[in-house]
């Protein structure tokens, strides 16, 4: 069962909210809401935008947002959550770097009656009452949108694909792969010939792509599927340095929708991106506000996964560069 389905089936439970009672609020900021945000890190343009937009949204709503940068390590995020509990914040936002190993610390938050809202990545737990709500995309759908675009674009042409995966240990990554594979399953002409993690960073994406080109030759790669735009931007650089024309010799499809990928699309060096909404913090603050008012919250707030192509790239770049 996918996490979306699991969440949907437990939606009724969410309304009862057995474990997530309202907090008494932090002693040090009477009258003003304080939220602790355990953030993954700053590995990508999308991630930095998510943090900044959450800070802006909090400011607009008069909420004190304390952001802890987990630097890609679960133990740092756990430490941050414990510190937020000790500070008696009103709520905790968690963008979990990996999917498992959260039960104990989220149990402590529940014990302290501090509601937790998950942002952008799912967790694996048997106890859905450990968190109030999750604001995220359907990651399988993101992969499927990317794969369907490639199938349509190729129209039957044989195509060996290399895949740049995100951080290992995250269900988001497994689902982005799964959705893509589902989409290409019926297209016998498309097959994934190499898969490696580029850890969601531009530098690692470049390094991994250089390795792919060296191992199998640029002429034997027809398309790159990257789990985020930053890795794709690194891969584009690697293609150029190898004398290849990204977007022409090798097709590209990635996820996020950061300004730089639109710039690359406008320059003809990238072909497609699937947007991941960066304003998860604002959406989570709205869920929290409604919960504090009504005692109810949706278990899953799904953000859209829209495909963008070069035809709108210049306009999208202009629109986004100030926002990110
Ligand atoms: O969890 C969302 C992913 O994390 C984004 O797609 C990626 O850019 C980020 O690092």
């Amino acid at each position: 069962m996918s996490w979306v389905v699991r969440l949907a089936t437990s939606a009724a439970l969410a309304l009862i909210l057995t474990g997530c009672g309202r907090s008494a609020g932090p002693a040090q900021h009477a009258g003003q809401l304080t939220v602790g945000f355990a953030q993954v890190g700053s590995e990508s343009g999308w991630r930095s935008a998510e943090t900044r937009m959450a800070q802006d949204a909090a400011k607009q709503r008069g909420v004190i947002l304390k952001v802890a940068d987990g630097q890609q390590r679960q133990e740092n995020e756990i430490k941050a959550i414990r510190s937020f509990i000790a500070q008696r914040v009103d709520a905790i936002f968690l963008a979990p770097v990996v999917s498992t190993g959260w039960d104990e610390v989220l149990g402590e938050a529940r014990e302290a009656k501090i509601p937790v809202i998950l942002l952008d990545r799912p967790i694996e737990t048997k106890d859905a009452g450990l968190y109030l709500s999750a604001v995220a995309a359907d990651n399988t759908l993101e992969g499927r949108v990317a794969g369907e675009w490639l199938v349509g674009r190729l129209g039957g042409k044989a195509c060996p694909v290399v895949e740049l995966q995100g951080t290992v240990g995250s269900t988001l990554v497994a689902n982005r792969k799964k959705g893509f594979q589902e989409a290409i399953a019926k297209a016998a002409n498309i097959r994934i010939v190499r898969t490696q993690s580029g850890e969601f960073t531009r530098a690692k994406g470049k390094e991994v792509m250089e390795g792919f080109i060296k191992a199998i030759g640029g002429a034997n790669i027809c398309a790159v599927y990257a789990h985020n735009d930053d890795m794709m931007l690194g891969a584009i650089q690697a293609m150029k340095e190898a004398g290849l024309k990204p977007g022409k010799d090798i097709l590209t499809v990635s996820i996020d929708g950061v300004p730089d990928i639109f710039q690359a699309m406008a320059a003809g060096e990238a072909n497609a991106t699937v947007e991941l909404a960066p304003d998860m913090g604002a959406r989570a603050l709205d869920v929290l506000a409604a919960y504090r008012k009504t005692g109810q919250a949706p278990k899953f707030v799904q953000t859209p996964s829209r495909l963008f192509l070069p035809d709108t790239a210049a306009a999208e770049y202009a629109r986004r560069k100030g926002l990110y």
Side-chain angles (χ1 to χ4, degrees):
M1 220 191 324
S2 78
W3 78 288
V4 177
V5 175
R6 273 200 306 273
L7 289 175
T9 52
S10 56
L13 267 180
L15 296 177
I16 300 164
L17 294 167
T18 41
C20 296
R22 294 181 209 199
S23 124
Q28 69 271 39
H29 297 294
Q32 206 174 359
L33 212 64
T34 301
V35 176
F37 181 9
Q39 174 61 296
V40 171
S42 50
E43 72 282 1
S44 66
W46 184 90
R47 180 68 56 197
S48 306
E50 186 193 44
T51 304
R52 230 209 37 244
M53 286 184 191
Q55 286 167 327
D56 290 350
K59 210 168 166 190
Q60 280 159 15
R61 290 161 176 77
V63 172
I64 297 164
L65 186 73
K66 300 181 173 190
V67 182
D69 181 338
Q71 298 179 331
Q72 306 286 332
R73 295 167 75 108
Q74 184 177 33
E75 64 261 37
N76 291 343
E77 291 200 280
I78 290 176
K79 219 186 269 176
I81 293 170
R82 293 209 164 110
S83 154
F84 293 143
I85 295 170
Q87 293 169 55
R88 295 172 54 223
V89 296
D90 295 292
I92 293 172
F93 293 174
L94 167 63
V97 62
V98 292
S99 304
T100 56
W102 299 102
D103 282 28
E104 191 180 333
V105 74
L106 295 191
E108 292 165 25
R110 177 163 68 184
E111 191 67 23
K113 299 198 185 313
I114 299 175
V116 173
I117 300 182
L118 302 178
L119 297 196
D120 77 79
R121 293 187 188 181
I123 60 166
E124 285 173 33
T125 178
K126 289 199 179 90
D127 185 356
L130 285 173
Y131 61 93
L132 174 67
S133 184
V135 179
D138 175 344
N139 309 126
T140 309
L141 175 66
E142 294 176 315
R144 204 178 302 128
V145 171
E148 280 167 359
W149 171 79
L150 188 63
V151 172
R153 168 71 193 244
L154 290 168
K157 189 184 142 213
C159 185
V161 178
V162 297
E163 179 188 29
L164 291 164
Q165 286 192 320
T167 313
V168 175
S170 162
T171 306
L172 162 127
V173 167
N175 287 343
R176 283 183 177 172
K177 182 178 185 66
K178 183 170 163 260
F180 186 82
Q181 277 177 320
E182 280 171 10
I184 65 167
K186 286 194 208 106
N189 56 314
I190 306 173
R191 63 190 204 290
I192 297 175
V193 293
R194 283 283 193 287
T195 295
Q196 202 176 315
S197 173
E199 295 165 12
F200 279 133
T201 70
R202 210 175 277 213
K204 192 74 186 170
K206 179 170 185 279
E207 188 188 310
V208 173
M209 189 64 196
E210 284 167 350
F212 287 155
I213 293 171
K214 204 164 162 209
I216 56 176
N220 296 315
I221 301 170
C222 148
V224 183
Y225 167 44
H227 289 202
N228 83 344
D229 291 339
D230 275 71
M231 290 188 292
M232 185 62 86
L233 289 157
I236 287 171
Q237 192 56 36
M239 291 182 235
K240 285 173 34 176
E241 287 176 15
L244 296 158
K245 290 195 187 76
K248 294 183 183 74
D249 296 337
I250 299 179
L251 298 176
T252 80
V253 58
S254 48
I255 296 171
D256 273 358
V258 299
D260 288 358
I261 204 73
F262 285 102
Q263 199 173 31
M265 279 202 278
E269 294 180 343
N271 305 103
T273 188
V274 182
E275 182 183 41
L276 177 66
D279 62 345
M280 308 249 176
R283 294 170 197 248
L285 285 166
D286 291 343
V287 168
L288 182 63
Y291 170 63
R292 289 178 66 88
K293 210 165 155 193
T294 65
Q296 297 194 345
K299 197 68 190 178
F300 182 50
V301 177
Q302 185 177 333
T303 61
S305 302
R306 206 175 133 202
L307 179 73
F308 285 89
L309 300 173
D311 56 337
T312 59
E316 285 298 330
Y317 175 66
R319 190 172 73 78
R320 283 159 201 260
K321 70 177 196 291
L323 295 174
Y324 275 70

PDB file of all heavy atoms in Angstrom, residues 39 44-56 258-259 278-279 323-324:
ATOM      1  N   GLN A  39      14.529  21.053   9.797  1.00  0.00           N
ATOM      2  CA  GLN A  39      14.704  21.032   8.341  1.00  0.00           C
ATOM      3  C   GLN A  39      15.844  20.079   7.971  1.00  0.00           C
ATOM      4  O   GLN A  39      16.826  19.943   8.711  1.00  0.00           O
ATOM      5  CB  GLN A  39      14.973  22.466   7.856  1.00  0.00           C
ATOM      6  CG  GLN A  39      15.316  22.653   6.396  1.00  0.00           C
ATOM      7  CD  GLN A  39      14.209  22.196   5.439  1.00  0.00           C
ATOM      8  OE1 GLN A  39      13.879  21.000   5.400  1.00  0.00           O
ATOM      9  NE2 GLN A  39      13.659  23.114   4.653  1.00  0.00           N
ATOM     10  N   SER A  44      19.781  21.658  -1.757  1.00  0.00           N
ATOM     11  CA  SER A  44      19.342  22.016  -3.114  1.00  0.00           C
ATOM     12  C   SER A  44      18.701  23.401  -3.125  1.00  0.00           C
ATOM     13  O   SER A  44      18.338  23.944  -2.071  1.00  0.00           O
ATOM     14  CB  SER A  44      18.308  20.990  -3.599  1.00  0.00           C
ATOM     15  OG  SER A  44      17.131  21.080  -2.813  1.00  0.00           O
ATOM     16  N   GLY A  45      18.545  23.945  -4.328  1.00  0.00           N
ATOM     17  CA  GLY A  45      17.873  25.235  -4.483  1.00  0.00           C
ATOM     18  C   GLY A  45      16.446  25.157  -3.969  1.00  0.00           C
ATOM     19  O   GLY A  45      15.938  26.097  -3.360  1.00  0.00           O
ATOM     20  N   TRP A  46      15.815  24.014  -4.233  1.00  0.00           N
ATOM     21  CA  TRP A  46      14.439  23.842  -3.769  1.00  0.00           C
ATOM     22  C   TRP A  46      14.382  23.901  -2.238  1.00  0.00           C
ATOM     23  O   TRP A  46      13.518  24.551  -1.652  1.00  0.00           O
ATOM     24  CB  TRP A  46      13.870  22.500  -4.267  1.00  0.00           C
ATOM     25  CG  TRP A  46      12.434  22.347  -3.879  1.00  0.00           C
ATOM     26  CD1 TRP A  46      11.358  22.738  -4.605  1.00  0.00           C
ATOM     27  CD2 TRP A  46      11.914  21.823  -2.641  1.00  0.00           C
ATOM     28  NE1 TRP A  46      10.199  22.486  -3.904  1.00  0.00           N
ATOM     29  CE2 TRP A  46      10.507  21.922  -2.704  1.00  0.00           C
ATOM     30  CE3 TRP A  46      12.507  21.278  -1.497  1.00  0.00           C
ATOM     31  CZ2 TRP A  46       9.687  21.490  -1.656  1.00  0.00           C
ATOM     32  CZ3 TRP A  46      11.684  20.858  -0.463  1.00  0.00           C
ATOM     33  CH2 TRP A  46      10.295  20.965  -0.548  1.00  0.00           C
ATOM     34  N   ARG A  47      15.317  23.213  -1.588  1.00  0.00           N
ATOM     35  CA  ARG A  47      15.312  23.138  -0.122  1.00  0.00           C
ATOM     36  C   ARG A  47      15.484  24.535   0.483  1.00  0.00           C
ATOM     37  O   ARG A  47      14.811  24.913   1.438  1.00  0.00           O
ATOM     38  CB  ARG A  47      16.445  22.201   0.329  1.00  0.00           C
ATOM     39  CG  ARG A  47      16.583  22.007   1.817  1.00  0.00           C
ATOM     40  CD  ARG A  47      15.468  21.265   2.455  1.00  0.00           C
ATOM     41  NE  ARG A  47      15.254  19.968   1.869  1.00  0.00           N
ATOM     42  CZ  ARG A  47      14.127  19.243   2.020  1.00  0.00           C
ATOM     43  NH1 ARG A  47      13.139  19.711   2.759  1.00  0.00           N
ATOM     44  NH2 ARG A  47      13.992  18.057   1.447  1.00  0.00           N
ATOM     45  N   SER A  48      16.442  25.300  -0.063  1.00  0.00           N
ATOM     46  CA  SER A  48      16.682  26.650   0.473  1.00  0.00           C
ATOM     47  C   SER A  48      15.432  27.506   0.292  1.00  0.00           C
ATOM     48  O   SER A  48      15.071  28.299   1.164  1.00  0.00           O
ATOM     49  CB  SER A  48      17.863  27.321  -0.235  1.00  0.00           C
ATOM     50  OG  SER A  48      18.980  26.471  -0.153  1.00  0.00           O
ATOM     51  N   ALA A  49      14.760  27.320  -0.874  1.00  0.00           N
ATOM     52  CA  ALA A  49      13.529  28.088  -1.119  1.00  0.00           C
ATOM     53  C   ALA A  49      12.448  27.689  -0.121  1.00  0.00           C
ATOM     54  O   ALA A  49      11.713  28.542   0.393  1.00  0.00           O
ATOM     55  CB  ALA A  49      13.045  27.855  -2.545  1.00  0.00           C
ATOM     56  N   GLU A  50      12.360  26.401   0.170  1.00  0.00           N
ATOM     57  CA  GLU A  50      11.340  25.951   1.133  1.00  0.00           C
ATOM     58  C   GLU A  50      11.557  26.615   2.498  1.00  0.00           C
ATOM     59  O   GLU A  50      10.619  27.088   3.141  1.00  0.00           O
ATOM     60  CB  GLU A  50      11.372  24.421   1.288  1.00  0.00           C
ATOM     61  CG  GLU A  50      10.234  23.925   2.177  1.00  0.00           C
ATOM     62  CD  GLU A  50      10.385  22.480   2.631  1.00  0.00           C
ATOM     63  OE1 GLU A  50      11.504  22.089   3.020  1.00  0.00           O
ATOM     64  OE2 GLU A  50       9.384  21.750   2.614  1.00  0.00           O
ATOM     65  N   THR A  51      12.822  26.656   2.927  1.00  0.00           N
ATOM     66  CA  THR A  51      13.127  27.273   4.226  1.00  0.00           C
ATOM     67  C   THR A  51      12.768  28.759   4.211  1.00  0.00           C
ATOM     68  O   THR A  51      12.084  29.259   5.105  1.00  0.00           O
ATOM     69  CB  THR A  51      14.635  27.118   4.560  1.00  0.00           C
ATOM     70  OG1 THR A  51      14.960  25.736   4.518  1.00  0.00           O
ATOM     71  CG2 THR A  51      14.964  27.679   5.934  1.00  0.00           C
ATOM     72  N   ARG A  52      13.235  29.439   3.149  1.00  0.00           N
ATOM     73  CA  ARG A  52      12.996  30.889   3.096  1.00  0.00           C
ATOM     74  C   ARG A  52      11.510  31.221   3.023  1.00  0.00           C
ATOM     75  O   ARG A  52      11.016  32.128   3.694  1.00  0.00           O
ATOM     76  CB  ARG A  52      13.752  31.499   1.913  1.00  0.00           C
ATOM     77  CG  ARG A  52      14.577  32.703   2.349  1.00  0.00           C
ATOM     78  CD  ARG A  52      14.781  33.726   1.257  1.00  0.00           C
ATOM     79  NE  ARG A  52      13.643  33.918   0.386  1.00  0.00           N
ATOM     80  CZ  ARG A  52      13.641  33.641  -0.927  1.00  0.00           C
ATOM     81  NH1 ARG A  52      14.698  33.117  -1.492  1.00  0.00           N
ATOM     82  NH2 ARG A  52      12.564  33.880  -1.653  1.00  0.00           N
ATOM     83  N   MET A  53      10.800  30.454   2.216  1.00  0.00           N
ATOM     84  CA  MET A  53       9.360  30.731   2.089  1.00  0.00           C
ATOM     85  C   MET A  53       8.615  30.444   3.394  1.00  0.00           C
ATOM     86  O   MET A  53       7.646  31.125   3.730  1.00  0.00           O
ATOM     87  CB  MET A  53       8.760  29.913   0.948  1.00  0.00           C
ATOM     88  CG  MET A  53       9.156  30.444  -0.412  1.00  0.00           C
ATOM     89  SD  MET A  53       8.315  29.519  -1.724  1.00  0.00           S
ATOM     90  CE  MET A  53       9.207  30.106  -3.151  1.00  0.00           C
ATOM     91  N   ALA A  54       9.064  29.435   4.126  1.00  0.00           N
ATOM     92  CA  ALA A  54       8.440  29.140   5.428  1.00  0.00           C
ATOM     93  C   ALA A  54       8.688  30.306   6.386  1.00  0.00           C
ATOM     94  O   ALA A  54       7.784  30.725   7.130  1.00  0.00           O
ATOM     95  CB  ALA A  54       9.003  27.845   6.003  1.00  0.00           C
ATOM     96  N   GLN A  55       9.908  30.848   6.343  1.00  0.00           N
ATOM     97  CA  GLN A  55      10.231  31.990   7.225  1.00  0.00           C
ATOM     98  C   GLN A  55       9.371  33.205   6.863  1.00  0.00           C
ATOM     99  O   GLN A  55       8.832  33.879   7.739  1.00  0.00           O
ATOM    100  CB  GLN A  55      11.724  32.327   7.109  1.00  0.00           C
ATOM    101  CG  GLN A  55      12.600  31.295   7.814  1.00  0.00           C
ATOM    102  CD  GLN A  55      14.077  31.420   7.452  1.00  0.00           C
ATOM    103  OE1 GLN A  55      14.415  31.779   6.329  1.00  0.00           O
ATOM    104  NE2 GLN A  55      14.955  31.089   8.395  1.00  0.00           N
ATOM    105  N   ASP A  56       9.234  33.445   5.548  1.00  0.00           N
ATOM    106  CA  ASP A  56       8.413  34.589   5.101  1.00  0.00           C
ATOM    107  C   ASP A  56       6.954  34.403   5.515  1.00  0.00           C
ATOM    108  O   ASP A  56       6.301  35.337   5.987  1.00  0.00           O
ATOM    109  CB  ASP A  56       8.481  34.738   3.571  1.00  0.00           C
ATOM    110  CG  ASP A  56       9.853  35.205   3.105  1.00  0.00           C
ATOM    111  OD1 ASP A  56      10.670  35.599   3.968  1.00  0.00           O
ATOM    112  OD2 ASP A  56      10.125  35.138   1.894  1.00  0.00           O
ATOM    113  N   VAL A 258      13.066  24.542 -10.127  1.00  0.00           N
ATOM    114  CA  VAL A 258      13.831  25.700  -9.622  1.00  0.00           C
ATOM    115  C   VAL A 258      14.169  26.630 -10.795  1.00  0.00           C
ATOM    116  O   VAL A 258      14.211  26.195 -11.949  1.00  0.00           O
ATOM    117  CB  VAL A 258      15.133  25.266  -8.875  1.00  0.00           C
ATOM    118  CG1 VAL A 258      14.801  24.401  -7.679  1.00  0.00           C
ATOM    119  CG2 VAL A 258      16.118  24.564  -9.799  1.00  0.00           C
ATOM    120  N   PRO A 259      14.413  27.924 -10.516  1.00  0.00           N
ATOM    121  CA  PRO A 259      14.662  28.871 -11.613  1.00  0.00           C
ATOM    122  C   PRO A 259      15.761  28.424 -12.582  1.00  0.00           C
ATOM    123  O   PRO A 259      15.616  28.567 -13.791  1.00  0.00           O
ATOM    124  CB  PRO A 259      15.058  30.159 -10.871  1.00  0.00           C
ATOM    125  CG  PRO A 259      14.387  30.049  -9.545  1.00  0.00           C
ATOM    126  CD  PRO A 259      14.374  28.589  -9.203  1.00  0.00           C
ATOM    127  N   PRO A 278       7.295  24.759  -3.449  1.00  0.00           N
ATOM    128  CA  PRO A 278       8.228  25.080  -2.367  1.00  0.00           C
ATOM    129  C   PRO A 278       7.564  25.735  -1.151  1.00  0.00           C
ATOM    130  O   PRO A 278       8.202  25.943  -0.139  1.00  0.00           O
ATOM    131  CB  PRO A 278       9.206  26.053  -3.035  1.00  0.00           C
ATOM    132  CG  PRO A 278       8.407  26.699  -4.119  1.00  0.00           C
ATOM    133  CD  PRO A 278       7.328  25.746  -4.528  1.00  0.00           C
ATOM    134  N   ASP A 279       6.255  26.038  -1.256  1.00  0.00           N
ATOM    135  CA  ASP A 279       5.598  26.781  -0.176  1.00  0.00           C
ATOM    136  C   ASP A 279       4.913  25.851   0.833  1.00  0.00           C
ATOM    137  O   ASP A 279       3.822  26.134   1.322  1.00  0.00           O
ATOM    138  CB  ASP A 279       4.572  27.760  -0.767  1.00  0.00           C
ATOM    139  CG  ASP A 279       3.476  27.040  -1.533  1.00  0.00           C
ATOM    140  OD1 ASP A 279       3.653  25.847  -1.853  1.00  0.00           O
ATOM    141  OD2 ASP A 279       2.435  27.661  -1.820  1.00  0.00           O
ATOM    142  N   LEU A 323      11.328  34.723  -6.525  1.00  0.00           N
ATOM    143  CA  LEU A 323      10.635  33.990  -5.454  1.00  0.00           C
ATOM    144  C   LEU A 323      11.544  33.024  -4.713  1.00  0.00           C
ATOM    145  O   LEU A 323      11.342  32.726  -3.548  1.00  0.00           O
ATOM    146  CB  LEU A 323       9.475  33.180  -6.055  1.00  0.00           C
ATOM    147  CG  LEU A 323       8.309  33.941  -6.689  1.00  0.00           C
ATOM    148  CD1 LEU A 323       7.341  32.982  -7.351  1.00  0.00           C
ATOM    149  CD2 LEU A 323       7.585  34.744  -5.609  1.00  0.00           C
ATOM    150  N   TYR A 324      12.553  32.497  -5.420  1.00  0.00           N
ATOM    151  CA  TYR A 324      13.406  31.461  -4.833  1.00  0.00           C
ATOM    152  C   TYR A 324      14.574  32.060  -4.077  1.00  0.00           C
ATOM    153  O   TYR A 324      14.980  33.172  -4.339  1.00  0.00           O
ATOM    154  CB  TYR A 324      13.908  30.508  -5.926  1.00  0.00           C
ATOM    155  CG  TYR A 324      12.918  29.423  -6.225  1.00  0.00           C
ATOM    156  CD1 TYR A 324      11.722  29.724  -6.873  1.00  0.00           C
ATOM    157  CD2 TYR A 324      13.153  28.112  -5.863  1.00  0.00           C
ATOM    158  CE1 TYR A 324      10.805  28.739  -7.150  1.00  0.00           C
ATOM    159  CE2 TYR A 324      12.236  27.111  -6.149  1.00  0.00           C
ATOM    160  CZ  TYR A 324      11.063  27.439  -6.793  1.00  0.00           C
ATOM    161  OH  TYR A 324      10.150  26.453  -7.053  1.00  0.00           O
TER     162      TYR A 324
END
